[in-house]
Structures are given as C-alpha cells and as structure tokens.
Amino acid sequence: LPLFIAICVFHLILTICKWTNKQCTVTAQIVTLFILFNLTVLLVHLPDFFRHQAEPHYTPYNSFSEYFIKNIFEGFITATIFSIVIPLLDNFIRKKVTRFDTAST
C-alpha cells in the first residue's frame, strides 16, 4: 500500500512537471521518491506503534528507535532501493524507446 501511494503521488508530480514544461533530473526524481516512500512507510507504521502499546500481547519497546529497527527498518531499506531503481529504470527505458522510435523512422 505505501508503494502504491508513493508511486501515484510521484507520477502526479512528474505530470505537473510536464505541464509546466520543466524537466526533472534523475537526481530530483530519486530524492522525491525517497522522501515519498519513506514518509508513507513511516506514516503507516507510526500509528501501529502507538495503538498497540496498551495490548497485553504487544512487545513493549523502550523507544521508537528500537521499534524502528525491529519493524520499520526493512521497509525503509526496501523503499530506499525502490526510490533509486525506479527513476533510473524509467530513464533507461525512455532512452531506449526514443532510440527505437528514431531508428524506425
């Protein structure tokens, strides 16, 4: 779910950039997607941290950093990898399609 939300917002931002005739660099795309992914991962897990602390079967954590390392860190790493790979792959595919279109004409 966080991945889907972040990708939708990311494509909305790219569409707005196209409408304003501004070209987003790959670095800007990576940073934008990094922030979106990790913000959605944090927003999904943060209420869980507060909501379940009162339940008897819930593992008590001494701090949010301990909860982060045990539960959110994997999502954070995955989001970071996706935020780097998706813009690079998108840029690579667009260059290949452009080359293919110019070669066929």
Side-chain angles (χ1 to χ4, degrees), residues 28-81:
Q29 291 177 10
I30 288 171
V31 169
T32 303
L33 203 50
F34 175 78
I35 292 169
L36 288 173
F37 272 145
N38 290 312
L39 185 63
T40 53
V41 166
L42 184 65
L43 289 176
V44 166
H45 286 284
L46 192 59
D48 182 57
F49 173 69
F50 292 115
R51 179 177 50 232
H52 299 295
Q53 283 185 342
E55 293 182 5
H57 67 277
Y58 187 73
T59 306
Y61 295 102
N62 294 330
S63 65
F64 183 73
S65 63
E66 183 181 350
Y67 176 80
F68 178 85
I69 290 170
K70 290 188 177 183
N71 296 321
I72 304 176
F73 193 58
E74 182 181 348
F76 184 80
I77 291 172
T78 304
T80 302
I81 291 169

Side-chain angles (χ1 to χ4, degrees), residues 15-35:
T15 304
I16 291 171
C17 287
K18 286 180 186 177
W19 287 343
T20 59
N21 292 329
K22 292 184 179 180
Q23 185 67 24
C24 282
T25 64
V26 176
T27 307
Q29 291 177 10
I30 288 171
V31 169
T32 303
L33 203 50
F34 175 78
I35 292 169

